Amino acid sequence: VGNKQPALFLRTLDGERSEHTPIWLMRQAGRYLPEYREVRERAGSFLNLCYSPAMAAEVTLQPIRRFGFDAAILFSDILVIPHALGQHVEFVEGEGPRLDPIVEGAALAKLSERPDPARLAAIYETVSRVRGRLGPETALIGFCGAPWTVASYMIAGKGTPDQAPIRLTAYRDGAFLSALVDRLVAASADYLVGQLEAGAQVVQIFESFAGALPPQLFERWSLEPIGRIATAVKAVKPDAKIIVFARGAAGGKLEALAQSGIADGVGLDWGVDLGFARERIQPRQVTQGNLDPLALVAGGEALDRGIDAILNTLGGKPHIFNLGHGILPETPIAHVERLVKRVRGN
Amino acid sequence: VGNKQPALFLRTLDGERSEHTPIWLMRQAGRYLPEYREVRERAGSFLNLCYSPAMAAEVTLQPIRRFGFDAAILFSDILVIPHALGQHVEFVEGEGPRLDPIVEGAALAKLSERPDPARLAAIYETVSRVRGRLGPETALIGFCGAPWTVASYMIAGKGTPDQAPIRLTAYRDGAFLSALVDRLVAASADYLVGQLEAGAQVVQIFESFAGALPPQLFERWSLEPIGRIATAVKAVKPDAKIIVFARGAAGGKLEALAQSGIADGVGLDWGVDLGFARERIQPRQVTQGNLDPLALVAGGEALDRGIDAILNTLGGKPHIFNLGHGILPETPIAHVERLVKRVRGN
């Protein structure tokens, strides 16, 4: 027993139901923590924080020290891939990412075929430092964005409601979108393998914009490219575990993801009905999620009820506790402490 | 035959499958039409346009003249109800609606119990003018917003991504939200009855923000208040038909709506899978929707494929053709002409 056993998080993702439900939170290294804000301030630009192994490792570890979560997730951003391919990317305070939009083949041809190894080396160095400083009881998760989501930023040059620019591209110029997605599939697979080789044990693929994909486009532009990434990763790292978090995919899309067998774990956003998750997703895959981040902000009875509903409905099978989206900056730390305690039954 | 028969739209909503599929478009009176932009310019403020029967009737009729749609929809806005209750509402060019937020009981107590009849009288006058100028082959649709959607604007003071302010209110202060929703239920029912008495034959209830309602809150804050409005309307106008358009409700929420029997017609946004709609919604209710508005912007093959998929999948039962959300200002008029022609099989 003890240290010889794999981390609870890894055993759960492997399909083993334990007495305890492991817990981590999306964006757990973030602005709700004063120690994060201090490092973020020091880093200057957001991208500089992502590319500075000492600082990025520090913020990755902060929530583990404070809350003892069962998994750490690399601090980085899904837009390092377009950046490493040569697209101009910056993060404007209070506005979010800004990129020079790439809207046709000629602009795509100017990007590199493969990501700049120098940029990604800094991230692998972060992974390796974090792994060296985590105990065996804590798993380390790497990640990347799914091609549809990353491409939507690359095409629009920013976040957009309902991702109209990429949807219009899908209707008007499938050949260009296909070439862009292929580029991202190759780059993302390499990038995930690099993180796994540096010490990550699990990778999560974030399809943040699955919601605005019309169902008839979901297979072609989301599932299929994610599947190719997973296949390429497992060809090199057969023991790697993959979690796919497709936000807004409640209902048929989520079921299609579960049926595809692409993922070892399926992330549930807070829009997913718990009964649906138990009946349609859990028989096929380990689930992860899905507390409404606003219930964590609210605290009190709403929080307790939310936690209990998830544990009571999904806790009978292997389940990883998480939020249904990233933790919000205004979340009180005391509410996170209460959450961890309640999930662990203390 | 001929003019003695009710309009195709009404027969279809009554469950009769005809040789032709009726068609209208959400926001069909809107900025994609040059004749609308001319009147809008002349009106000065957006609310002035809503409250001016001559101009509002004119823009309501414009798309009927141009395209011969099977139904006209009153030109107005869901925020006339908070405005008629005494909340400050204005529309800021390029930014959308701005209201003085109402976040607790004391602010709610300052609003009227019932909407100001003088304000709503102008809208009923619009309805009556439009009905008088439409032929019997064209149905007239009135509308209101659903309480959750309208309350989300009243609480946040504007549109917000994922409606965080009202969700937080639902978690923290259910008693206040309940009182606000009750006020809106009563006001909306009166308002719809007023529109029906003025000449509308059908009313559509817009739950634009069903998507961000966690499933465990959907019944309490969306279905239940909409159901009370429907019951109150049908108590006075038993022949009135009600369409509910709950945007973002794809999957379990939409099925719950269909099972509730609240609606005569169920609107489908462009995120709803057509197979799901055929199997789970059509056996219970007439469907309406759901072409992606961006497919209409794109035109060409993407448009034709989108139209055909809807007609082939849902056309075997009573179905009303529509977009899955409002028509976009950049939509080419030639694409709308092509759409109408193809739906009518010409």
Side-chain angles (χ1 to χ4, degrees):
Chain A
V1 305
N3 285 354
K4 294 293 165 94
Q5 227 184 7
L8 173 65
F9 176 90
L10 297 176
R11 282 183 282 133
T12 304
L13 198 48
D14 214 25
E16 183 183 321
R17 195 190 158 271
S18 306
E19 217 180 311
H20 294 287
T21 299
I23 177 171
W24 70 283
L25 304 182
M26 289 189 281
R27 268 189 224 283
Q28 63 191 17
R31 280 197 283 155
Y32 73 108
L33 290 176
E35 60 267 35
Y36 170 85
R37 294 195 297 267
E38 190 273 316
V39 178
R40 175 68 188 81
E41 181 83 10
R42 199 147 40 86
S45 83
F46 180 80
L47 276 179
N48 189 45
L49 177 51
C50 296
Y51 291 132
S52 301
M55 288 190 287
E58 167 59 20
V59 298
T60 300
L61 291 162
Q62 285 170 347
I64 309 303
R65 283 192 212 113
R66 197 187 260 272
F67 304 111
F69 288 127
D70 294 285
I73 182 163
L74 166 70
F75 182 85
S76 184
D77 192 87
I78 62 167
L79 297 183
V80 298
I81 285 297
H83 191 237
L85 288 171
Q87 188 171 17
H88 176 78
V89 177
E90 62 182 316
F91 288 81
V92 181
E93 205 58 46
E95 290 190 30
R98 290 292 179 274
L99 301 83
D100 290 344
I102 288 180
V103 296
E104 29 89 62
L108 178 59
K110 287 185 196 155
L111 294 188
S112 313
E113 280 295 327
R114 294 283 165 164
D116 179 354
R119 283 191 169 147
L120 298 187
I123 290 172
Y124 304 148
E125 170 65 20
T126 304
V127 172
S128 157
R129 287 190 190 205
V130 171
R131 185 62 267 170
R133 286 155 74 184
L134 286 173
E137 72 287 0
T138 312
L140 177 54
I141 306 169
F143 73 94
C144 72
W148 171 264
T149 294
V150 175
S152 85
Y153 282 103
M154 294 176 79
I155 288 173
K158 58 184 178 182
T160 45
D162 290 344
Q163 295 80 55
I166 191 173
R167 277 163 52 221
L168 202 49
T169 304
Y171 289 129
R172 279 184 174 157
D173 194 355
F176 159 66
L177 186 56
S178 201
L180 176 54
V181 162
D182 287 349
R183 185 81 57 104
L184 289 169
V185 165
S188 305
D190 280 4
Y191 180 48
L192 293 182
V193 168
Q195 295 179 53
L196 289 160
E197 286 180 343
Q201 294 137 302
V202 172
V203 288
Q204 178 156 320
I205 301 175
F206 286 86
E207 185 70 286
S208 308
F209 297 149
L213 253 168
Q216 69 278 15
L217 301 183
F218 180 66
E219 165 73 32
R220 168 72 187 91
W221 297 114
S222 179
L223 271 194
E224 197 267 347
I226 293 174
R228 280 192 283 150
I229 294 173
T231 302
V233 168
K234 294 211 171 179
V236 185
K237 306 291 270 182
D239 298 333
K241 294 283 175 197
I242 299 178
I243 301 173
V244 177
F245 176 60
R247 187 160 68 91
K253 293 184 211 169
L254 205 63
E255 210 173 340
L257 168 63
Q259 280 173 344
S260 74
I262 290 171
D264 301 289
V266 169
L268 312 173
D269 68 40
W270 49 263
V272 177
D273 180 75
L274 292 172
F276 172 87
R278 183 177 54 194
E279 286 157 37
R280 308 293 190 95
I281 310 299
Q282 279 198 327
R284 300 191 177 96
Q285 250 103 36
V286 175
T287 47
Q288 173 178 282
N290 75 338
L291 186 72
D292 186 345
L294 282 173
L296 188 58
V297 172
E301 268 188 53
L303 173 58
D304 291 352
R305 270 201 308 268
I307 297 167
D308 294 352
I310 292 168
L311 292 176
N312 292 338
T313 314
L314 301 179
K317 296 214 168 176
H319 177 71
I320 297 161
F321 202 98
N322 207 317
L323 295 172
H325 196 195
I327 186 169
L328 292 161
E330 63 267 35
T331 308
I333 285 172
H335 293 185
V336 182
E337 290 165 348
R338 178 177 180 139
L339 164 67
V340 172
K341 219 170 150 182
R342 197 169 182 98
V343 169
R344 293 196 167 140
N346 298 325
Chain B
V1 305
N3 285 354
K4 292 297 165 88
Q5 226 183 7
L8 173 65
F9 176 90
L10 297 175
R11 282 182 282 132
T12 303
L13 197 48
D14 214 26
E16 183 182 320
R17 193 188 159 272
S18 306
E19 215 181 314
H20 294 288
T21 299
I23 177 171
W24 69 283
L25 303 182
M26 289 190 281
R27 268 190 225 283
Q28 63 190 17
R31 280 197 285 153
Y32 73 108
L33 290 176
E35 60 267 35
Y36 169 85
R37 295 194 299 267
E38 189 273 317
V39 178
R40 174 70 188 79
E41 180 83 11
R42 197 146 42 86
S45 82
F46 181 79
L47 276 179
N48 189 45
L49 177 51
C50 296
Y51 291 131
S52 301
M55 286 190 288
E58 167 58 21
V59 297
T60 301
L61 291 163
Q62 285 170 347
I64 309 304
R65 281 190 214 116
R66 198 186 259 272
F67 304 111
F69 289 127
D70 294 286
I73 183 164
L74 167 69
F75 182 86
S76 184
D77 192 87
I78 62 168
L79 297 183
V80 299
I81 284 297
H83 191 238
L85 288 170
Q87 188 172 17
H88 176 78
V89 177
E90 61 182 315
F91 288 80
V92 181
E93 204 59 43
E95 291 189 30
R98 291 292 179 273
L99 301 81
D100 290 343
I102 289 180
V103 296
E104 29 88 66
L108 179 58
K110 286 183 195 155
L111 294 188
S112 313
E113 280 295 327
R114 293 284 165 162
D116 179 355
R119 284 192 168 146
L120 298 187
I123 291 172
Y124 304 146
E125 170 66 19
T126 304
V127 172
S128 154
R129 286 189 191 205
V130 170
R131 186 62 268 171
R133 286 155 73 185
L134 286 173
E137 72 286 0
T138 312
L140 177 54
I141 306 170
F143 74 93
C144 72
W148 170 264
T149 294
V150 175
S152 84
Y153 281 103
M154 294 176 79
I155 288 173
K158 58 184 177 182
T160 46
D162 290 344
Q163 294 81 55
I166 192 173
R167 277 162 53 219
L168 202 50
T169 303
Y171 288 127
R172 279 184 173 157
D173 194 355
F176 159 67
L177 186 56
S178 201
L180 176 54
V181 162
D182 287 349
R183 186 82 57 104
L184 289 170
V185 165
S188 305
D190 280 5
Y191 180 48
L192 292 183
V193 168
Q195 293 179 53
L196 289 160
E197 286 178 344
Q201 294 137 303
V202 173
V203 288
Q204 178 156 320
I205 301 176
F206 286 86
E207 184 70 286
S208 307
F209 297 150
L213 254 168
Q216 69 277 14
L217 303 182
F218 180 66
E219 166 73 32
R220 168 74 186 89
W221 297 114
S222 180
L223 270 195
E224 198 266 346
I226 293 173
R228 280 193 284 149
I229 293 173
T231 303
V233 168
K234 293 211 172 178
V236 185
K237 305 292 270 182
D239 297 333
K241 294 282 173 196
I242 299 179
I243 300 173
V244 177
F245 176 60
R247 188 159 68 91
K253 293 183 210 169
L254 205 63
E255 212 173 337
L257 169 62
Q259 280 173 344
S260 74
I262 290 170
D264 301 288
V266 169
L268 312 173
D269 68 40
W270 48 264
V272 177
D273 180 75
L274 292 173
F276 172 87
R278 184 178 53 195
E279 286 157 35
R280 308 292 189 96
I281 310 300
Q282 279 199 327
R284 298 191 179 97
Q285 249 103 36
V286 175
T287 46
Q288 174 179 281
N290 74 339
L291 186 72
D292 186 345
L294 283 173
L296 188 57
V297 172
E301 268 188 52
L303 173 57
D304 291 351
R305 271 200 309 268
I307 297 167
D308 294 352
I310 292 169
L311 293 176
N312 293 337
T313 315
L314 301 179
K317 293 210 169 178
H319 177 71
I320 296 161
F321 201 97
N322 207 318
L323 296 172
H325 195 194
I327 186 169
L328 293 161
E330 63 267 36
T331 308
I333 285 173
H335 293 185
V336 181
E337 290 166 347
R338 179 178 179 137
L339 164 67
V340 172
K341 218 170 151 183
R342 198 170 181 96
V343 169
R344 294 197 166 141
N346 299 325

